[in-house]
Structure formats: structure tokens, C-alpha cells
Amino acid sequence: IDHPSCHSPPTLKRPTEANSFLYCHTMQDKVNLGEKLDLIKGFYQPGIVGFLNDYKIQVAKIKGPFIWHKHEETDEFFMVIKGTLTIHLRDKDVVLQKNEIFVVPRGVEHCPEADEEAQILLIEPSETRNTGNVGGERTYHPDKL
């Protein structure tokens, strides 16, 4: 798939119709996160708002518990835009409020949870699955918003 302002990063597979948006790394304009969050309809269904090298920048709405999982190959960056997010780790809970960040280290099992709706920003490699090593029905393939 050819995109005039895009390239295929050497660490990613060849573009296909299903994943071609992963190869557009040029931001043509600023992004309003509030407007992008308004496009998200379901909880734990992130949308891609941009790219930073081979990393996708995503926003998501969350409510309730997710699943315990880990990412063996990468850290995972969380920032709360609105609400409160608890990231359960096996040995402690990390509670994040608006404008706070936390990075879950690679290989660390975690379970995000929000009692009330929270809005978050995530940064992770483009090929990373939201359900990490677990997979299953909660796996969501994000759309570019």
C-alpha cells in the first residue's frame, strides 16, 4: 500500500490493507485528545491518535477491571487525562489521577482498573497487543482516529 507521506519502518512487517495505518508516521496537524476520545464508543477499545517512531500513541476510555497480563518485550506508558486509574501490580497498586503517569516495566504483570470512567493516553510499540501475553476475547485491534 503506498502512502505519499509514509514509509515502512525497518522493524515492522510489510504494509497490508489491515495494518497500513501503522506505517503513516507523519503528523500533518495537531491532535485534540478530547475530540479523539469522543470518537471512542467502548471501554478498553483504544484508538490511535499518532505515532512516535515505531510507537503508537493511543487514547482509551476505561471502566471496571481489565485482565491480568504482561508485555514481555516492552514497557507500557500510562497517563491519566481524566478520572482515576488504578494499575494493580502483584505486589502493590499504583493509583493515578489526572495528569499523572506511570510506566509498567516490561514483563511485569498488571491489571488496569477504574471504578468510574477514566480517560487515558497510552504509548507502546506499534505491534503491541492490549492483552499482552494473554490474548483472548478482550484483545482489541485499535483503529486510527
Side-chain angles (χ1 to χ4, degrees), residues 40-89:
I40 294 177
K41 302 302 178 209
F43 297 119
Y44 292 103
Q45 297 178 355
I48 298 172
V49 297
F51 294 91
L52 176 66
N53 299 318
D54 292 344
Y55 286 76
K56 58 189 174 188
I57 303 168
Q58 304 173 100
V59 292
K61 294 178 181 177
I62 62 171
K63 185 175 180 183
F66 194 49
I67 59 171
W68 282 97
H69 66 285
K70 61 185 171 182
H71 305 280
E72 294 289 355
E73 303 298 322
T74 186
D75 302 334
E76 188 172 17
F77 174 96
F78 289 85
M79 177 181 176
V80 174
I81 297 168
K82 179 181 177 184
T84 301
L85 167 68
T86 301
I87 301 174
H88 301 289
L89 306 174

Side-chain angles (χ1 to χ4, degrees), residues 78-83 96-101 119:
F78 289 85
M79 177 181 176
V80 174
I81 297 168
K82 179 181 177 184
L96 301 177
Q97 304 291 329
K98 179 179 178 179
N99 297 327
E100 294 182 325
I101 67 170
Q119 298 176 352

